[in-house]
Amino acid sequence: MTMLLTILGIALFAVGLLFSIAWHELGHLSTAKLFGIRVPQYMVGFGPTLFSRHRGETEYGIKAIPMGGYIRMIGMFPPGEDGRIEARSTSPWRGMIEDARTAAYEELQPGDEKRLFYTRKPWKRVIVMFAGPFMNLILAVAIFLGVAMTFGFATQTTQVAGVQNCVIKQSEDRNTCAAGDPVSPAKQAGLRAGDKIVAFNGEKVSGWPELSDRIRQTIGPASITVERDGTEQVLEANLIRNMVAKKDSDGEVVPDAFVPAGYLGFAAQTEILPLNFTQSVDRMGDMMANGVESIIALPAKVPDLWDAAFSDGERKDDSPVGVVGAARISGEVMNLDVPTENIIATFMMLLAGFNLSLFLFNMLPLLPLDGGHIAGALWESVRRNVAKVFRRPDPGPFDVAKLMPVAYVVAGVFICFTLLVLVADIVNPVKIS
């Protein structure tokens, strides 16, 4: 049964991956056709074609390797300086440029002169190239909001899960009381598991973040109002100073960092609770910010990835994961001993995270990514507008093909990084708990 569920999880992820890619390329296709650009091909995957069908002027198909997709637009690059589409050069770098330019004009037909990509105004080209990643962003947001507002996330509440018997500095690596440890303020006050704290020092508390902050800010006597067996009771506690986990500006615990603060001594109950729209949007914003930070931090994670792949290095929880690793995690999700709705929510969040990563990665201003073409169109707009302001001759289209040698270097780096992640995902995978 375990193997069957693992295969099912991998298969479901593959379907989600293919849909995400097709959805991305649909953004490019629809806007390109909207602006009259001819699109000979719309393909999901790379390699040999498994299935294709012509509809109008476009061939739609699925290829054997589900590692991406593409649409082919006529005239992605302008002709060379001599006006020729094809040229020959003994320079390898120049040859790359000319090969890219030639490929952009394959299947050029009579009447296509007015349907070339590069002839469209820069703002239209920006829309066409941005539409693909934007579709992934829409899908990520839709999935995230759906999960957050219907299923919810694990949230700490003001209900007491357990009471500490003694005071132990959270910076110490132990959980059992030692001789000489003072009794915790919560135990002295008579707090019990199952109590729900509704007020602190006579003021209502809206949730765990507020209660936690107020406890940390208090050293000395404090009144705690709890609901117990359907009635409210007021307990008197004497909070002390203790070394507790440090929190960042978002209220999240900072790993291996501690600060002195007020201490009561109980564990908050964790429940899965749906979020309202505002809370969901805030949580989505945090997810996007973390995604941007992860993209920026990718180069710094290469040494740890190398150690995890080729030595005895630990594979960290925040280590980059590729398609193979994500598929493996999907298989593990299907085997979790949790309710079915938890499995569905976890799988959908994995798919949302994948689409958010596609959006952020494709927006990098580097060729051959969508962000590189967007940067080229924006630079062309700047050049032409500056020329217009200073009454200079129109510089014409910006020749993105001249950046193809850089694109090959970027693609090479990306391929090497992808292979490194692939090896790490196979020999030392990230596992879920």
Side-chain angles (χ1 to χ4, degrees):
M1 181 60 73
T2 299
M3 180 60 69
L4 181 61
L5 288 175
T6 300
I7 294 173
L8 177 61
I10 294 173
L12 288 175
F13 177 78
V15 172
L17 173 64
L18 287 173
F19 177 80
S20 300
I21 294 169
W23 184 248
H24 174 105
E25 298 304 333
L26 181 62
H28 291 313
L29 177 73
S30 57
T31 50
K33 287 183 173 290
L34 176 66
F35 295 134
I37 302 166
R38 191 164 76 82
V39 184
Q41 276 190 322
Y42 168 94
M43 290 289 170
V44 177
F46 297 111
T49 301
L50 301 178
F51 166 83
S52 71
R53 177 174 296 178
H54 280 85
R55 289 285 181 87
E57 61 187 14
T58 304
E59 178 189 10
Y60 300 86
I62 298 176
K63 291 182 173 287
I65 305 174
M67 298 293 288
Y70 65 93
I71 68 166
R72 192 149 59 83
M73 294 180 284
I74 296 295
M76 284 288 291
F77 308 116
E81 295 178 358
D82 57 1
R84 295 174 60 189
I85 295 173
E86 297 187 33
R88 289 291 178 266
S89 172
T90 57
S91 166
W93 296 110
R94 189 67 190 173
M96 292 179 186
I97 298 172
E98 293 161 358
D99 288 343
R101 200 186 316 280
T102 301
Y105 287 87
E106 288 182 355
E107 299 184 16
L108 188 66
Q109 298 177 356
D112 282 347
E113 294 78 9
K114 295 182 179 180
R115 304 187 63 190
L116 305 176
F117 175 79
Y118 86 90
T119 61
R120 295 302 178 263
K121 293 182 178 180
W123 67 267
K124 291 184 177 180
R125 278 179 275 153
V126 168
I127 290 176
V128 171
M129 300 312 299
F130 179 71
F134 185 62
M135 295 290 272
N136 292 123
L137 179 62
I138 290 174
L139 188 57
V141 171
I143 293 173
F144 185 90
L145 293 182
V147 171
M149 298 177 68
T150 58
F151 179 78
F153 295 104
T155 305
Q156 286 183 295
T157 68
T158 60
Q159 187 165 351
V160 179
V163 176
Q164 270 75 33
N165 291 319
C166 61
V167 178
I168 301 176
K169 293 181 180 179
Q170 292 183 3
S171 56
E172 296 183 10
D173 187 20
R174 64 185 176 96
N175 296 315
T176 57
C177 296
D181 288 338
V183 178
S184 72
K187 188 173 182 64
Q188 284 185 330
L191 197 64
R192 300 178 188 173
D195 288 347
K196 181 178 181 181
I197 300 176
V198 295
F200 187 85
N201 276 337
E203 297 182 7
K204 297 289 185 182
V205 290
S206 59
W208 169 249
E210 180 186 353
L211 177 60
S212 176
D213 288 344
R214 293 178 65 179
I215 290 174
R216 287 168 173 257
Q217 295 164 5
T218 303
I219 299 174
S223 63
I224 304 168
T225 306
V226 302
E227 283 186 0
R228 180 185 296 170
D229 299 328
T231 62
E232 288 192 1
Q233 299 183 29
V234 178
L235 307 178
E236 299 297 333
N238 188 31
L239 278 65
I240 65 172
R241 183 187 300 272
N242 192 22
M243 293 298 294
V244 299
K246 183 179 179 180
K247 292 186 176 182
D248 59 22
S249 58
D250 295 324
E252 299 295 329
V253 173
V254 179
D256 301 322
F258 305 93
V259 294
Y263 178 78
L264 182 56
F266 75 96
Q269 183 72 43
T270 299
E271 298 179 10
I272 296 179
L273 300 174
L275 307 182
N276 60 36
F277 180 75
T278 302
Q279 292 171 328
S280 299
V281 171
D282 289 342
R283 191 79 172 257
M284 182 69 201
D286 293 338
M287 185 177 175
M288 291 189 65
N290 292 335
V292 172
E293 292 173 2
S294 297
I295 292 289
I296 295 173
L298 277 181
K301 294 181 179 180
V302 170
D304 288 339
L305 262 178
W306 182 272
D307 290 340
F310 299 106
S311 65
D312 297 329
E314 177 187 0
R315 189 76 187 273
K316 297 181 179 179
D317 292 339
D318 62 348
S319 176
V321 175
V323 172
V324 171
R328 187 168 185 165
I329 291 174
S330 297
E332 291 184 10
V333 168
M334 296 299 294
N335 284 285
L336 290 177
D337 186 18
V338 295
T340 303
E341 58 267 26
N342 293 49
I343 293 177
I344 295 173
T346 303
F347 179 81
M348 295 304 293
M349 284 302 298
L350 183 64
L351 190 59
F354 176 77
N355 276 274
L356 180 60
S357 297
L358 279 179
F359 167 75
L360 294 174
F361 186 74
N362 273 287
M363 289 309 296
L364 292 175
L366 300 170
L367 286 175
L369 302 175
D370 295 329
H373 290 283
I374 291 172
L378 292 175
W379 175 241
E380 176 183 323
S381 179
V382 170
R383 290 199 317 166
R384 286 185 153 177
N385 281 302
V386 168
K388 186 181 296 184
V389 169
F390 290 97
R391 297 182 179 179
R392 294 174 182 172
D394 186 351
F398 175 64
D399 192 0
V400 183
K402 292 182 178 179
L403 299 179
M404 287 310 297
V406 177
Y408 282 114
V409 172
V410 172
V413 171
F414 175 66
I415 290 172
C416 291
F417 181 77
T418 301
L419 292 175
L420 176 60
V421 173
L422 174 63
V423 174
D425 283 343
I426 294 173
V427 303
N428 193 356
V430 172
K431 297 182 178 180
I432 62 175
S433 58

